[in-house]
């Protein structure tokens, strides 16, 4: 249990025991509580007062399956709110193996200086000059870093977008094969990393100084039971391994909730061309891998390796959200173009979601035609080249909307929505509007409630409560390192019981089922407090006006949640 | 009556010879409900069979109409 505190202005690295007030916290809980306590809420997100915090979940690095999420937190330059964005890959487990609770980057290197932060297998850390990597894409950079520091290393890094401090810049991280294809994409945290003068973090995976587990035998037993629950759940044990998250294309289109052509339609014409079923078939025919292990400790294997017609690797993993943003929103219905756009975004280091929505807004504004794949590729390439237009696009959908003075810009608090239209899934309208993170599906996706027919997606009744409950649940899960997808095994009694036992065995506690949501409520309260002090009010918890005025076919609904109902979301 | 069924997720693998592009025609009694169709196809509730027609998720008791284009997929939770 230690913090590595890195002062980027003095280049000093201090190792500290975790202070009492942060004991027992990890992941989003730690990043958000620390930011609220230590970062001035009104500070410039790209200035020296902001902190960039990298924190594995409390269970990362243990033998519990699918616990390889790393949370990255800061004040967001995209939304101006507190931000946590988490990613998979291998770095969370690597930090867990070293007993590192968090790395905290403070202040800034002088303009023009660029560094790598390296942690070796003994946990010894240092800043190394990285001028030779300036402007480098994440793929070439990761290859060089793994050559230099060994294949058993995990990399977190930024591309040219992060160095340019563009507000849709991502932080990319390497998968089990050493490719920088996993992303903490949302909220422009790559720009915060760039503002610190930090190009990459390299962590040796061979650490052997993990924090102790209070009751190792009980933990082992609980871990076994949880793995069984993940394997036996139809979603995590069958559908995700076969189709990955792309399997969502069919159900969401079948519900009329797939935001299409910049959210003007709820069903994409020809969506079956870019469905999960079609993707698995194409990958199989070309000799790629439709069921790939992307993250350490993963038994779901929702990842894929997309290859071109010659069987050459293009990108991993082609996910539902990217297929939507680069496909549904833009009207591009071929996988080769979408995969190329995904690869470009990963390499340049920008969020595929905000970037895809930005491209769609530009097309809707008449800059290019919907469905023009070549134009989309050229637009995204401009971000990497640092052209004037590329800078606007790389600042995300809100920036491109302002540039074109366009009326239809699907963002909340400056962040693009996800692949669920709030007019056809009214609960996700609540989540987009009220999440402390800006529009964010991972903050509380209500789609599962609709699938189980517990709730009618088109009616306002029950949506606030459903959003509240999922937001609390996700704020809890995001503290643990558990992958959102594997967390759906918690919806079974066996999975929930096993997970609680694992937590208690890890900490030597006697937590009950209510203690886990209590943690989520605590985290949300801290995040809301930061946002309030940063100047956000209830008036910011609203969707763009067009969602209340333009009816979405085929259901022809608008958002029906009243302002009063929105404002009751966090009545706890 | 007859309905045209398309199966998503891994549901298609349960029916030898199923071609995803065409889907399959299924004969069920007139006035059959969603739950009757799922029972006919032996898709258990525990497997998460969800039925949508014309962009709407249907409840188990909803009646199907002759000639309906029916999408059946597994329950999903997010992506």
């Amino acid at each position: 249990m230690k913090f590595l505190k890195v002062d980027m202005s003095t280049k000093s690295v201090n190792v500290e025991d975790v202070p009492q007030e942060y004991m027992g916290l990890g992941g989003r809980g730690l990043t958000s509580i620390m930011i609220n306590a230590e970062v001035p809420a009104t500070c410039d997100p790209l200035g020296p007062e902001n902190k960039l915090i990298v924190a594995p979940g409390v269970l990362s690095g243990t033998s519990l399956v699918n616990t390889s999420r790393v949370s990255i937190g800061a004040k967001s330059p995209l939304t101006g709110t507190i931000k946590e964005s988490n990613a998979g890959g291998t770095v969370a487990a690597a930090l867990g193996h070293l007993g590192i609770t968090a790395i905290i980057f403070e202040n800034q290197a002088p303009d023009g200086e660029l560094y790598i932060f390296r942690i070796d297998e003994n946990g010894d850390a240092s800043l190394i000059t990285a001028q030779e990597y300036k402007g480098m894409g994440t793929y070439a950079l990761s290859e060089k870093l793994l050559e230099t520091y060994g294949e058993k290393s995990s990399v977190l890094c930024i591309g040219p977008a992060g160095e340019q401090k563009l507000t849709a810049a991502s932080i990319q991280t390497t998968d089990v094969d050493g490719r920088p294809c996993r992303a903490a994409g949302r909220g422009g945290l790559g720009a915060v990393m760039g503002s610190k003068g930090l190009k990459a973090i390299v962590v040796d995976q061979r650490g052997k100084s993990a924090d102790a587990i209070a009751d190792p035998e009980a933990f082992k037993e609980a871990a076994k039971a949880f793995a069984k629950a993940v394997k036996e759940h139809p979603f995590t044990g069958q559908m995700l391994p076969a189709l990955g998250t792309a399997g969502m294309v069919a159900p969401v289109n079948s519900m009329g909730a797939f935001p299409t052509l910049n959210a003007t339609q709820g069903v994409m014409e020809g969506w079956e061309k870019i469905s999960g079923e079609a993707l698995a078939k194409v990958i199989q025919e070309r000799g790629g891998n439709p069921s790939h292990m992307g993250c350490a400790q993963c038994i779901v294997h929702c990842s894929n390796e997309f290859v071109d017609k010659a069987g050459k690797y293009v990108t991993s993993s082609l996910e539902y959200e990217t297929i939507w943003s680069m496909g549904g929103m833009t009207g591009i219905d071929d996988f080769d173009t979408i995969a190329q756009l995904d690869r470009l975004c990963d390499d340049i280091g920008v969020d595929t979601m905000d970037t895809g929505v930005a491209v769609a807004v530009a097309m809707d504004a008449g800059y290019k035609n919907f469905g023009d794949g070549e134009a989309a590729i050229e637009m995204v390439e401009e971000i990497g080249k640092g052209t004037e237009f590329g800078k606007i696009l790389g600042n995300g959908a809100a920036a491109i909307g302002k540039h074109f003075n366009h009326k239809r810009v699907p963002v909340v608090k400056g962040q693009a929505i996800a692949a669920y239209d709030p007019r056809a899934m009214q609960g996700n309208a609540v989540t987009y509007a009220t999440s402390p993170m800006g529009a964010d599906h991972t903050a509380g996706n209500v789609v599962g409630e609709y699938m189980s027919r517990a709730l009618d997606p088109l009616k306002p009744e029950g949506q606030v409560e459903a959003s509240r409950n999922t937001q609390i649940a996700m704020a809890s899960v995001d503290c643990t390192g558990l992958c959102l997808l594997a967390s759906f095994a918690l919806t079974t009694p066996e999975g929930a019981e096993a997970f609680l036992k694992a937590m208690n065995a890890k900490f030597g506690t006697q937590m009950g089922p209510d203690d886990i949501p209590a943690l989520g409520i605590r985290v949300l309260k801290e995040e809301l407090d930061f946002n309030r002090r940063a100047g956000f009010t209830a008036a910011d918890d609203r969707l763009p006006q067009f969602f209340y005025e333009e009816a979405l076919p085929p259901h022809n609904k608008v958002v029906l949640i009243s302002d009063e109902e929105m404002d009751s979301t966090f009545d706890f | 009556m007859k309905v045209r069924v398309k199966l998503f997720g891994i549901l298609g693998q349960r029916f030898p010879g199923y071609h995803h592009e065409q889907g399959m025609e299924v004969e069920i009694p007139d006035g059959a409900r969603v739950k009757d169709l799922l029972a006919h196809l032996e898709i258990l509730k525990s497997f998460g069979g969800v039925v949508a027609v014309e962009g709407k998720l249907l409840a188990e008791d909803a009646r199907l109409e002759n000639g309906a284009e029916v999408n059946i997929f597994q329950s999903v939770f997010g992506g």
Side-chain angles (χ1 to χ4, degrees):
Chain A
M1 285 179 284
K2 60 191 172 199
F3 283 169
L4 301 189
K5 284 200 167 176
V6 187
D7 187 324
M8 294 300 296
S9 63
T10 61
K11 321 292 175 322
S12 63
V13 182
N14 288 310
V15 182
E16 296 177 6
D17 289 337
V18 174
Q20 190 58 38
E21 64 264 35
Y22 298 128
M23 286 291 273
L25 293 171
R28 175 175 167 185
L30 180 58
T31 62
S32 287
I33 289 170
M34 186 180 285
I35 288 161
N36 193 30
E38 300 185 12
V39 173
T42 53
C43 77
D44 173 4
L46 300 177
E49 291 177 304
N50 202 2
K51 297 188 185 196
L52 184 74
I53 305 170
V54 179
V58 293
L59 296 170
S60 300
T62 70
S63 62
L64 196 72
V65 297
N66 292 87
T67 50
S68 292
R69 302 299 292 190
V70 65
S71 289
I72 306 179
K75 178 175 177 177
S76 165
L78 183 73
T79 62
T81 66
I82 199 164
K83 174 61 64 177
E84 182 263 4
S85 184
N86 63 67
T90 60
V91 72
L95 291 169
H97 293 154
L98 287 162
I100 294 171
T101 305
I103 316 171
I104 301 127
F105 295 95
E106 300 174 320
N107 293 318
Q108 294 177 322
D111 272 351
E113 290 186 14
L114 206 55
Y115 292 88
I116 289 164
F117 183 67
R118 161 106 205 285
I119 308 172
D120 70 16
E121 65 180 300
N122 300 314
D124 294 328
S126 54
L127 278 169
I128 302 157
T129 185
Q131 295 305 125
E132 68 269 38
Y133 301 125
K134 199 170 171 54
M136 200 178 261
T138 67
Y139 269 84
L141 174 70
S142 297
E143 200 178 323
K144 285 275 179 200
L145 294 175
L146 294 178
E147 261 173 39
T148 306
Y149 299 107
E151 285 182 5
K152 292 283 178 195
S153 298
S154 302
V155 176
L156 276 166
C157 62
I158 57 171
E163 287 184 51
Q164 293 176 59
K165 293 178 259 188
L166 303 180
T167 56
S170 61
I171 297 176
Q172 298 294 130
T173 188
T174 46
D175 69 356
V176 294
D177 298 306
R179 294 176 297 222
C181 55
R182 302 271 147 193
R186 310 236 67 194
L189 295 181
V192 179
M193 190 159 159
S195 76
K196 302 280 174 213
L198 186 65
K199 179 71 174 169
I201 302 165
V202 183
V203 184
D204 199 299
Q205 297 171 1
R206 296 169 298 178
K208 291 187 176 62
S209 47
D211 296 340
I213 289 172
D215 185 344
E217 277 310 305
F219 189 87
K220 201 172 156 188
E221 200 176 305
K224 201 172 154 188
F226 185 67
K228 187 166 178 273
V230 171
K231 277 285 181 195
E232 287 180 353
H233 194 288
F235 184 58
T236 53
Q238 296 169 355
M239 203 197 94
L240 285 173
L243 304 183
T245 56
M248 300 289 295
V249 173
V252 180
N253 273 282
S254 298
M255 291 174 68
F258 193 68
T260 300
L261 303 179
N262 196 30
T264 54
Q265 297 170 21
V267 180
M268 183 185 185
E269 196 180 326
W271 61 264
E272 289 208 46
K273 286 187 203 163
I274 57 165
S275 69
E277 291 76 7
L279 179 64
K281 194 172 168 221
V282 166
I283 292 175
Q284 249 158 359
E285 283 171 356
R286 293 179 178 183
N289 185 358
S291 186
H292 171 247
M293 178 178 173
C295 306
Q297 300 284 115
C298 177
I299 61 167
V300 173
H301 297 189
C302 77
S303 176
N304 57 51
E305 290 177 304
F306 187 87
V307 295
D308 65 14
K309 286 172 183 149
K312 192 178 163 211
Y313 171 84
V314 178
T315 193
S316 175
S317 164
L318 204 50
E319 302 270 0
Y320 171 62
E321 296 295 340
T322 304
I323 291 169
W324 158 74
S325 64
M326 293 297 185
M329 283 292 269
T330 61
I332 295 167
D333 63 3
D334 86 277
F335 281 130
D336 287 297
T337 304
I338 296 169
Q340 204 177 332
L341 287 162
D342 184 49
R343 166 66 180 249
L344 269 175
C345 286
D346 287 352
D347 197 43
I348 294 165
V350 279
D351 178 19
T352 60
M353 294 170 68
D354 234 293
T355 306
V357 174
V359 169
V361 169
M363 287 175 164
D364 198 20
Y367 182 65
K368 300 285 174 184
N369 292 327
F370 279 125
D372 188 341
E374 276 183 32
I377 289 168
E378 283 168 13
M379 286 161 80
V380 174
E381 281 174 339
E382 287 201 48
I383 305 174
K385 289 174 187 163
T387 66
E388 288 308 307
F389 179 81
K391 284 179 179 165
I392 299 164
L393 193 74
N395 280 327
I400 210 88
K402 276 185 193 154
H403 176 73
F404 288 111
N405 283 330
H406 193 54
K407 64 172 182 177
R408 193 179 300 108
V409 186
V411 302
V412 180
K413 300 185 180 77
Q415 181 166 283
I417 65 160
Y420 311 86
D421 198 290
R423 292 161 290 187
M425 290 191 186
Q426 299 277 328
N428 282 10
V430 181
T431 298
Y432 291 158
T434 63
S435 163
M437 303 291 160
D440 182 348
H441 66 299
T442 66
N445 194 344
V446 186
V447 65
E449 294 289 304
Y450 307 136
M451 291 285 151
S452 64
R453 271 81 86 221
L455 203 57
D456 184 334
L458 302 173
K459 291 182 178 162
E461 292 80 17
Q463 307 290 347
V464 166
E465 188 183 3
S467 171
R468 178 192 304 128
N469 291 339
T470 51
Q471 290 199 62
I472 291 169
M474 288 320 304
S476 308
V477 166
D478 288 343
C479 297
T480 65
L482 183 65
C483 167
L484 160 71
L485 299 174
S487 78
F488 296 120
L490 300 176
T491 58
T492 65
E494 299 81 13
E497 188 187 346
F499 190 77
L500 185 60
K501 280 184 178 171
M503 288 284 281
N504 280 327
K506 159 81 176 159
F507 291 109
T509 49
Q510 300 293 323
M511 288 188 283
D514 292 343
D515 291 316
I516 304 286
L519 174 63
I521 290 171
R522 181 184 169 198
V523 172
L524 284 166
K525 280 183 174 174
E526 296 265 357
E527 292 169 345
L528 294 164
D529 181 56
F530 182 92
N531 289 352
R532 184 185 54 75
R533 292 187 299 106
F536 287 85
T537 68
D540 297 298
D541 291 345
R542 305 288 181 261
L543 295 154
Q545 199 58 31
F546 83 92
F547 282 125
Y548 299 96
E549 292 173 349
E550 291 183 14
L552 181 77
H555 301 302
N556 298 317
K557 293 279 183 190
V558 296
V559 168
L560 300 169
I561 313 294
S562 69
D563 291 352
E564 291 72 25
E565 287 173 296
M566 287 287 189
D567 296 343
S568 69
T569 304
F570 296 121
D571 282 350
F572 45 57
Chain B
M1 68 179 188
K2 288 177 181 171
V3 294
R4 178 148 293 276
V5 171
K6 292 202 86 169
L7 301 165
F8 294 91
I10 59 167
L11 290 171
Q13 294 170 12
R14 298 157 63 100
F15 298 88
Y18 172 77
H19 286 286
H20 185 68
E21 284 73 20
Q22 294 110 46
M24 63 184 186
E25 200 168 66
V26 178
E27 191 156 359
I28 45 175
D30 287 352
R33 296 170 193 268
V34 164
K35 63 184 175 189
D36 302 323
L37 175 65
L38 292 175
H40 179 79
L41 296 172
E42 296 180 347
I43 297 171
L44 299 174
K45 195 176 177 185
S46 60
F47 199 71
V50 180
V51 169
V53 175
E54 292 178 358
K56 277 196 174 170
L57 299 181
L58 299 187
E60 284 187 332
D61 286 332
R63 287 193 189 279
L64 294 166
E65 289 183 9
N66 186 37
E69 301 270 338
V70 180
N71 286 352
I72 306 181
F73 39 85
Q74 290 173 263
S75 196
V76 296
F77 294 80

